[in-house]
Amino acid sequence: MGGVNTAGVRAEAEIRARADGRGGTALPVLESRGPLALRRTRGSGATAHVMLVGAMSGPHGGDHFTVRAGVGADARLRVGSAAATLALPGQHGGQARQDVRISVAAGGELHWLPEPLISVTGSELAVHTHVDLEPGARLVLREELVLGRTGEDPGRLTSRLTVRVDGRPVLDQELDSGPGAHNGWDGPAVLGGHRAVGQLVVVDPEFTDKPVAPDVPADGLAVLPLAGPAVLVSAVAPDALTLRRLLDRAPASFTPASPTTPASPATPASPASA
């Protein structure tokens, strides 16, 4: 992949959620700078809601965006974004980077539900989302990638998602797509010609006693229990709207594993690269 352009924009955002002692969730840290802006919105019950707003377009080539979120014990946080993110070619070229680092303490709960990331032709972006959960933490994380706007070819997009529970990896997966990616990324074993791909990771301590059975509830949609109290839902679709509909319906399809159905693989999910 191309070298990083040091002339790009640096942007950081940080969220810290803590139980307020009154049955709700406080946000002692809600800081952002550069083209990233955080806004607290009306919450529901014990859950605090935060929106990530892009104050300008991007990331462009050479930019480096970093988002950090920490959820304390018994806190509840829901994070979304105001609009889709466009990965754009920079004026001087080069690769853009976006790092997301998440931690959730025991008893905490995080719903990380951003809008899609769209890889625009000519762009080059590497995204790494790293999640650390303590035992007893809950997570719902959605990632949606759209390869190119309507009628255009995609840019180069590399996305890696790493999830650890109690320090042990339950998922470490990478997708490399677009011009310059390894051959086969668009073949039948990976995207199969689709231009929208997404995943939903659900971590819930209840899965330990009530494991979820693997399932293929719809064309292009698969449910896979992981080695830990976690489930991975993967989907491919021709467009972003269809992808969202597939991922939204997946949790309703979770069914308990039968005594003869393996609850999860014997080992953590291995990295998947195109």
Side-chain angles (χ1 to χ4, degrees):
M1 300 180 70
V4 175
N5 180 3
T6 58
V9 174
R10 300 295 182 267
E12 296 184 1
E14 184 173 4
I15 310 166
R16 295 290 171 183
R18 297 290 182 267
D20 63 8
R22 304 187 301 275
T25 298
L27 299 175
V29 177
L30 195 64
E31 299 178 348
S32 53
R33 64 180 183 178
L36 297 177
L38 297 172
R39 300 288 183 265
R40 182 166 188 169
T41 59
R42 185 184 298 274
S44 56
T47 303
H49 289 199
V50 173
M51 295 294 291
L52 182 61
V53 180
M56 58 183 286
S57 63
H60 297 79
D63 292 352
H64 186 185
F65 292 180
T66 303
V67 181
R68 299 181 180 88
V71 179
D74 301 321
R76 306 285 184 269
L77 177 65
R78 182 185 179 97
V79 178
S81 57
T85 298
L86 291 176
L88 298 164
Q91 182 178 1
H92 305 289
Q95 179 197 88
R97 290 174 54 196
Q98 181 169 299
D99 294 315
V100 179
R101 303 194 69 85
I102 294 168
S103 62
V104 185
E109 182 174 320
L110 172 65
H111 288 238
W112 189 267
L113 303 170
E115 293 303 304
L117 170 61
I118 302 173
S119 175
V120 173
T121 186
S123 65
E124 188 174 358
L125 175 64
V127 180
H128 189 184
T129 301
H130 192 286
V131 183
D132 276 300
L133 306 173
E134 292 183 358
R138 289 178 167 83
L139 172 75
V140 178
L141 183 148
R142 183 180 68 211
E143 179 185 65
E144 297 170 317
L145 308 175
V146 180
L147 307 182
R149 294 172 293 192
T150 302
E152 76 173 8
D153 293 329
R156 178 75 177 273
L157 177 61
T158 304
S159 176
R160 183 174 180 179
L161 174 60
T162 305
V163 179
R164 297 177 183 271
V165 177
D166 195 21
R168 300 177 60 185
V170 298
L171 179 67
D172 193 1
Q173 179 168 277
E174 180 175 286
L175 174 67
D176 189 14
S177 60
H182 296 295
N183 292 334
W185 68 268
D186 202 22
V190 187
L191 297 184
H194 293 90
R195 285 296 177 264
V197 56
Q199 51 195 351
L200 187 74
V201 181
V202 182
V203 180
D204 192 321
E206 291 187 2
F207 292 157
T208 301
D209 297 323
K210 300 177 181 179
V212 174
D215 194 12
V216 182
D219 186 33
L221 181 66
V223 175
L224 176 68
L226 301 175
V231 174
L232 171 67
V233 178
S234 298
V236 292
D239 54 64
L241 180 59
T242 305
L243 179 68
R244 175 66 59 85
R245 287 173 175 168
L246 285 172
L247 292 176
D248 281 350
R249 66 176 287 184
S253 71
F254 288 177
T255 56
S258 67
T260 58
T261 301
S264 61
T267 58
S270 59
S273 300

